[in-house]
Amino acid sequence: MFKIDTGGTVTPFVDPGGGTSLGIAVIGTNLYFGNSSGQLYVVDLTAPPSASLLTTLPTDVNDIAVAPAGFGAFAGQLIVAGHNRIDVVHPITGVITPLATFGGGGVNTITLDFTPGGALLAASMDEDAVFDVSAAGVLTPFASVGSTPGGLEVHPLTGEVYIAIEGAGTLEKLNPSGTVLSTFASTFPIDGGFFPTPLSFSNDGASLYYSTSPSEIFAIDGFTTAAIPEPSGFALIGLGSIGLICMRRRRRGQAERSEERRGGK
C-alpha cells in the first residue's frame, strides 16, 4: 500500500504481503484494507505504519464501507463486499457476520456504498444490476445497469450513483431514486477483469477518483458540492411559494380595499 499526499507524491506506506490490495476504509484513526486472498488488515494511523491481520474472509475483499447510524445493529462496523456476498466485520474483534448472498457465477464481483440517507447499495457484476441491501440482508432490485458493473460509488451530497460498466467501458450515472440511467463518461478506462474498478469521491464531493492499474490514479473534477433536496423538500419549497403568492394577493386585496375606502371619503 502507498500513501499519496495532496501534491500527488507517492510514498510506500505498508506492505503486509499476500494478495492484491483492493478495498479500503477508515474509522477514526484506524485504516482498514483487504486483499484478493480475503485478508483484512488494520493500521493504526497514529503509530509507525504497521499492518495487523484483523480477520480472513471467505472471498476477496473487493470493497469496504462503514455502516452509518441507523443501519440495524451494525452501525460503525465494516460492510465488506466479496464475490457473491456481503459480510459485516466488527472493527475491533474481527468477528464476521454474513449479511447477504447474491446470484451469478462463482466470481461475481460485488461493490458497494452507502447513500447520504444511510441506504446500502450494491452492484452485482454477473447480474448486471444494483440492489438495495437492508440491515436484515434482504436484497431489493434498485436498477438494471447494463453489462458487468465493476465499481459503484455514491456522491456524498447529491446521492447520485456512479457505476463503472466494464462491458461497455463507460461510467454511468443513476439518479438518487434509481429510475434514470445516463452515460456520464464514454471510453472510460475499466479494470476489465474480475477485480473491481476502484471509485472514490473526495470528502467534499468535488472530485471523483478512480484507478485502472496499480500505478495510476485519475480524478474527474467539477462535481457539485450542493445536496439535491429530497422530494419532500421540493414539496415544502412549492408550498412556501404558494404561501408567498397567497400572502401577496391578500396584501394586494387589502391595499385595494383601503384605497376604495379613502376614495369614498
Side-chain angles (χ1 to χ4, degrees):
M1 178 172 288
F2 296 85
K3 180 180 179 179
I4 306 172
D5 65 20
T6 55
T9 301
V10 180
T11 55
F13 182 65
V14 66
D15 182 11
T20 301
S21 295
L22 296 172
I24 186 170
V26 174
I27 300 179
T29 58
N30 285 338
L31 180 148
Y32 299 85
F33 69 96
N35 62 26
S36 57
S37 298
Q39 296 165 321
L40 182 60
Y41 292 91
V42 57
V43 179
D44 182 352
L45 297 176
T46 65
S50 178
S52 300
L53 181 65
L54 178 65
T55 191
T56 300
L57 289 111
T59 72
D60 295 21
V61 179
N62 289 322
D63 206 356
I64 307 174
V66 180
F71 193 70
F74 302 125
Q77 298 192 46
L78 301 169
I79 310 300
V80 182
H83 288 319
N84 296 84
R85 60 187 293 143
I86 294 176
D87 294 285
V88 182
V89 178
H90 194 284
I92 304 300
T93 65
V95 171
I96 301 170
T97 303
L99 179 64
T101 303
F102 294 77
V107 288
N108 179 16
T109 298
I110 308 299
T111 52
L112 52 76
D113 198 11
F114 281 95
T115 70
L120 177 60
L121 299 181
S124 173
M125 180 180 285
D126 284 2
E127 296 175 282
D128 300 334
V130 174
F131 294 87
D132 183 296
V133 185
S134 74
V138 177
L139 301 179
T140 302
F142 182 76
S144 296
V145 293
S147 178
T148 57
L152 180 147
E153 183 75 1
V154 180
H155 192 284
L157 298 177
T158 69
E160 294 169 324
V161 185
Y162 292 83
I163 306 154
I165 303 296
E166 300 205 0
T170 61
L171 182 64
E172 303 292 318
K173 181 176 74 171
L174 278 168
N175 66 332
S177 61
T179 56
V180 179
L181 179 69
S182 60
T183 298
F184 182 78
S186 57
T187 63
F188 188 71
I190 299 294
D191 168 72
F194 293 122
F195 289 153
T197 296
L199 301 172
S200 181
F201 272 105
S202 57
N203 289 336
D204 63 0
S207 300
L208 176 64
Y209 301 100
Y210 65 95
S211 175
T212 61
S213 73
S215 59
E216 294 181 300
I217 294 178
F218 302 90
I220 302 174
D221 299 321
F223 288 87
T224 180
T225 56
I228 295 176
E230 297 291 333
S232 58
F234 282 117
L236 290 173
I237 291 171
L239 289 172
S241 300
I242 293 171
L244 181 59
I245 292 170
C246 291
M247 181 68 73
R248 286 176 176 172
R249 287 180 177 173
R250 180 180 178 186
R251 288 177 176 173
R252 181 182 300 171
Q254 289 174 340
E256 289 174 351
R257 286 193 295 271
S258 296
E259 289 294 329
E260 290 175 357
R261 285 196 295 269
R262 283 197 294 268
K265 292 179 180 178

